[in-house]
Amino acid sequence: MSSRSGSTRDYETRGQSRHHSASPPVPEPSDTETEGLIFYHMDLYGSKERFDIFPEEPSGRGDRSLGDTRRESALSSEKVQCPQEVGYDLEKEVAELAKMYGLDEDREKELELLGGHLEKVESRWSPAHTEKAGSQDSIYNISKSSSSVRDSSQSTKQQGLPDEASQGENQSKARADDEAESSIWSRGGLSSGGVSDEWNSQAVSEEEEEEEEEEAEAADVFCSTCKIPIRAFDKLFGDHKDHEVAQLPSAVESEKEEIHKNMCKLEEQIAQMENVASHLEEIFITVEENFGRQEQNFEVHYNDAVQVLAQKYEEQLEALGEEKRQKLEALYEQLVSCGKHLDTCKELTDETQELFLENDKAEFMKAAVTMVDRLEEFLKQEVDLELSTLPDFEERVIDVSEVEQLMNSINAIPAPCAPVINPQAPNAATGTSLRVCWGLFSDDTVECYQLCYQPVSNERHSDGQAEHTLKVKETYCTITDLLPNTQYEFWVSALNASGISPPSERAVYVTAPSPPTIKNKKIRSCENAALVCWESRDINPVDSYTVELSKLTDEENDDFITESIVGIPNCEVLIHLQPTQKYHICVRAQNQGGSSERSEPVLIHTTGTCFYLNEDTAHPLLAILDDGFTISCDELENPECDLPVYDNSFTRCIAILGSLIPFPGKHYWEVEVTEDTEYRIGVAFENTPRHGHLGANNSSWCMRHIITPSRHKYEFLHSGMTPDIRITVPPRRIGILLDYENCRLSFFNADIAQHLHTFNSHFQHYVHPCFALETPGILRIHTGITTPPWTALP
């Protein structure tokens, strides 16, 4: 199969038109000659029959006249000579060829991929190109005319002749046509050999032109298998039919991206090689430094060894001299003693001899007795005849073990220098752990480090604090099982085979605090704010607190929007919120070591005012039920009982205060009452007297219910005074509206939305809700209620 189907079709068409051409140009045929010629379409891919332009003539001739045949040939010639006029559909041609040669539906994607390039191929069928092939139309038509005649004769034979006369007539006409055709070829000066040579030469030149056109035509797709650019038709009908292709621009971008990646890798490799070169330079310098240090080490050890040997020599020489002196002194003393002993012997001998010369016997006897006593006393003395010392000296051996130790330590590495411990890094601590880091700013060889730590004591003498020691290989360590919000001091030493370094300077680290505990019963909130209180669980103070708010935006998906309030110095904070929202609030404690874990979250609804009852203010006879919002009182005649009373408790009035409402604006709550209970409800200042009744002073405002034999009486008391108001419908649920901005305190019958009374008073301070029972009964307080619209007063 040819690599270019379009070029192949053009080439074969022109090849057939030149098959019977001759070297000299053929004159243009006349109209009468052209009309009888028939154009035979050739198979695109060179079938075997395309070479049989002049098949064997059949025995019979057709009935068609030469004029009819020429007219059909003229029509066909006009179609071939003017392909652009009728509009050549190349895409349809390609589709038919693909179907003919077994291209399945999988090729449709490739055709879509190459569809943009069909216009380029279609441009090859230009009028100029057609004119080039039209230069041989006369020869083309002549060659086809004979074929058309034979074709007509074959068709006549197939149809059958009526008699032999008509057959003979047709054969005579055919011979006449053949003679006319031969004359035409002879006029053109053509021979069979000339036609063949001309065909071969022009075929070669045409093939060269085709190759030049193929080379001139730009590649428009990229073969991923062969890694070369190709033309679109090469994918469909060429050697690349089964290969993977891609659009040339996308292939270019892909190659550029790959080259860019390789360039990045090359740059990384260059950077690595530069780092290696820099490291090698540092190694060169380190080798020189190590050589100088080792040389100095050798010199120091050598001098130490020489000094030790000299010292040993001096010591041994001094000991040898001392031994010589002792020997000589001992011999000298023995020699002197021996001389004295000889002198005494000589003296006694002389005197004895002189005694024997004495003639007087009496004198002789006197002297002899004395001499005998002297001789006996002298002879009794022991004479040391042995040498006091020997002439030989003691074998002395110089102890060179110390020298050997010094010599052996010449090649040993020196003990490392002291490490430098780093200060505490941010967020390097939790409530029970610390991460300690240090460094060694020398080239000493270190096998491991010894890390020591102990808690910091506020006392001057911290001998009682336990000291802990750890051995680690790295220059960092994470210590666990520590106390929260506690300071620890750390120091570290380096170890190797030669010994241990001096300890580093001591550094103080502190663990993160424990999570705070939010006081649920101290939380107060309204439609646009909340006051949150908590307490620290640590003994040591913390630096600050952080409150995290998570607003629930989608309850089904648990979506939250989180905000943080940082740098809170105390254990409470007033937070501004949005109405009718739900918030999860938690608290973290902060110190130098970092942040604590989150506290247990609390849920706050900003639908209305919420407060709690202050148990420290409750009268001893007043009980708070488990829900925290219901108070009750048993039947006791004397409220002033002997039960234990707190410093802030009511002692006369069986009352209790709610938590302070510290938010400006409007606040609404309701109290559920019964008709057979006498009560007082309202608001009061913090300093309202605990030994009086609510409403009897200028620091409290309340609504009082009294049961008389005739009716239910309601009073609205402040400073012991009440207006004359009659309420016909006893309320069972009383609504209370506190309006700080308009200086109003209003009471309503919530069941029927009836306004009962309003105090107009300027509240100099924030107030507490207050509740009191004057007879046994219960009161139920309801908070977190949205302010009803009917509470708005004109």
Side-chain angles (χ1 to χ4, degrees), residues 261-328:
K261 290 181 181 179
N262 292 332
M263 288 297 295
C264 293
K265 293 180 180 178
L266 185 60
E267 291 176 359
E268 292 178 359
Q269 189 172 1
I270 291 173
Q272 292 177 357
M273 294 305 297
E274 290 178 352
N275 293 334
V276 170
S278 176
H279 183 64
L280 288 176
E281 292 177 359
E282 294 177 357
I283 294 299
F284 272 103
I285 298 173
T286 305
V287 168
E288 293 292 339
E289 293 177 352
N290 290 341
F291 171 76
R293 185 161 49 252
Q294 287 290 67
E295 183 180 14
Q296 184 180 2
N297 188 29
F298 287 155
E299 184 178 356
V300 170
H301 281 77
Y302 173 77
N303 293 335
D304 291 344
V306 171
Q307 185 178 357
V308 170
L309 285 174
Q311 183 179 358
K312 294 292 183 182
Y313 171 77
E314 293 294 336
E315 291 177 357
Q316 294 296 333
L317 187 60
E318 183 179 358
L320 186 62
E322 181 66 21
E323 185 179 1
K324 173 186 174 183
R325 186 185 61 79
Q326 292 177 358
K327 284 181 178 294
L328 292 178

Side-chain angles (χ1 to χ4, degrees), residues 368-519:
V369 173
T370 303
M371 182 60 65
V372 171
D373 293 338
R374 288 179 60 189
L375 288 173
E376 289 179 358
E377 184 179 356
F378 179 75
L379 293 174
K380 287 181 181 179
Q381 296 179 358
E382 293 183 359
V383 179
D384 188 6
L385 300 179
E386 296 181 359
L387 294 175
S388 58
T389 182
L390 296 176
D392 299 331
F393 282 85
E394 181 182 355
E395 291 291 336
R396 296 184 178 274
V397 179
I398 299 177
D399 186 9
V400 294
S401 60
E402 187 175 355
V403 178
E404 291 178 354
Q405 184 177 359
L406 288 173
M407 297 302 293
N408 292 333
S409 64
I410 290 178
N411 295 326
I413 57 176
C417 300
V420 177
I421 196 165
N422 300 339
Q424 184 172 359
N427 300 322
T430 65
T432 58
S433 66
L434 284 171
R435 180 182 175 87
V436 184
C437 301
W438 59 89
L440 186 68
F441 298 96
S442 66
D443 295 331
D444 297 335
T445 302
V446 177
E447 295 181 359
C448 64
Y449 295 93
Q450 179 175 290
L451 179 64
C452 303
Y453 68 95
Q454 65 181 9
V456 176
S457 176
N458 295 328
E459 301 177 359
R460 295 183 178 180
H461 302 285
S462 58
D463 298 337
Q465 298 292 339
E467 181 179 318
H468 305 274
T469 303
L470 297 174
K471 286 190 177 181
V472 294
K473 294 287 186 180
E474 297 81 9
T475 56
Y476 60 89
C477 182
T478 301
I479 299 93
T480 57
D481 299 330
L482 303 178
L483 298 177
N485 198 28
T486 304
Q487 291 183 339
Y488 291 86
E489 58 180 358
F490 293 85
W491 63 97
V492 64
S493 301
L495 291 85
N496 62 12
S498 298
I500 185 172
S501 72
S504 66
E505 295 291 334
R506 299 198 174 195
V508 176
Y509 282 52
V510 59
T511 53
S514 301
T517 302
I518 298 179
K519 299 178 180 179

Side-chain angles (χ1 to χ4, degrees), residues 98 179 210 242 289 306 318 325 334 441 493 526 565 594 596:
E179 291 174 1
E210 292 295 333
D242 297 330
E289 293 177 352
V306 171
E318 183 179 358
R325 186 185 61 79
Q334 189 175 10
F441 298 96
S493 301
C526 63
I565 304 174
S596 70

Side-chain angles (χ1 to χ4, degrees), residues 562-578:
T562 303
E563 300 178 359
S564 298
I565 304 174
V566 300
I568 303 172
N570 302 321
C571 290
E572 66 176 17
V573 64
L574 180 63
I575 309 170
H576 294 282
L577 305 175
Q578 297 177 359

Side-chain angles (χ1 to χ4, degrees), residues 522-770:
K522 296 288 185 178
I523 295 177
R524 286 150 282 175
S525 64
C526 63
E527 292 183 354
N528 53 17
L531 181 65
V532 182
C533 302
W534 61 87
E535 61 182 359
S536 175
R537 295 165 50 188
D538 299 316
I539 300 176
N540 299 324
V542 300
D543 296 340
S544 63
Y545 296 93
T546 300
V547 175
E548 296 181 356
L549 298 86
S550 300
K551 183 172 69 174
L552 185 61
T553 58
D554 189 351
E555 296 186 7
E556 295 181 357
N557 300 325
D558 292 337
D559 292 336
F560 290 90
I561 298 177
T562 303
E563 300 178 359
S564 298
I565 304 174
V566 300
I568 303 172
N570 302 321
C571 290
E572 66 176 17
V573 64
L574 180 63
I575 309 170
H576 294 282
L577 305 175
Q578 297 177 359
T580 65
Q581 299 292 334
K582 293 181 180 180
Y583 292 89
H584 284 281
I585 297 179
C586 58
V587 183
R588 295 178 184 265
Q590 304 279 344
N591 66 2
Q592 182 183 357
S595 174
S596 70
E597 298 294 331
R598 291 179 177 178
S599 65
E600 291 294 330
V602 294
L603 181 62
I604 293 179
H605 297 267
T606 56
T607 54
T609 301
C610 293
F611 58 84
Y612 293 89
L613 299 177
N614 190 349
E615 297 180 4
D616 296 338
T617 63
H619 188 277
L621 297 179
L622 195 67
I624 303 175
L625 301 187
D626 294 338
D627 61 358
F629 294 95
T630 303
I631 60 176
S632 65
C633 177
D634 296 335
E635 295 184 4
L636 290 174
E637 296 180 358
N638 185 13
E640 298 182 0
C641 57
D642 296 332
L643 295 175
V645 177
Y646 297 102
D647 295 338
N648 200 28
S649 301
F650 286 94
T651 57
R652 185 175 182 182
C653 179
I654 306 176
I656 187 173
L657 296 180
S659 53
L660 186 70
I661 301 178
F663 315 112
K666 296 181 180 181
H667 306 279
Y668 180 81
W669 65 93
E670 294 179 354
V671 182
E672 187 178 347
V673 299
T674 57
E675 295 182 2
D676 56 349
T677 302
E678 296 183 357
Y679 54 84
R680 298 182 187 221
I681 55 177
V683 297
F685 288 139
E686 173 69 29
N687 60 355
T688 189
R690 301 297 192 263
H691 300 288
H693 290 278
L694 296 177
N697 48 61
N698 60 358
S699 60
S700 59
W701 297 259
C702 69
M703 172 184 174
R704 182 186 182 189
H705 173 230
I706 305 172
I707 301 176
T708 63
S710 59
R711 65 185 178 90
H712 294 276
K713 183 179 181 181
Y714 294 92
E715 298 177 343
F716 296 92
L717 298 171
H718 176 61
S719 299
M721 301 177 63
T722 178
D724 187 9
I725 297 177
R726 290 179 177 270
I727 299 175
T728 58
V729 179
R732 296 180 178 275
R733 194 179 182 98
I734 302 173
I736 302 174
L737 177 64
L738 172 64
D739 190 349
Y740 279 121
E741 295 178 355
N742 296 318
C743 304
R744 293 178 179 178
L745 177 66
S746 302
F747 296 86
F748 301 88
N749 186 342
D751 293 333
I752 59 176
Q754 179 186 12
H755 174 249
L756 302 179
H757 178 68
T758 296
F759 289 102
N760 292 302
S761 178
H762 179 67
F763 301 103
Q764 298 178 353
H765 308 284
Y766 291 120
V767 297
H768 296 257
C770 58

Side-chain angles (χ1 to χ4, degrees), residues 3-4 229-241:
S3 61
R4 293 180 59 197
I230 61 173
R231 291 167 295 119
F233 264 46
D234 291 345
K235 167 60 181 172
L236 289 176
F237 307 107
D239 298 335
H240 306 275
K241 181 174 64 175

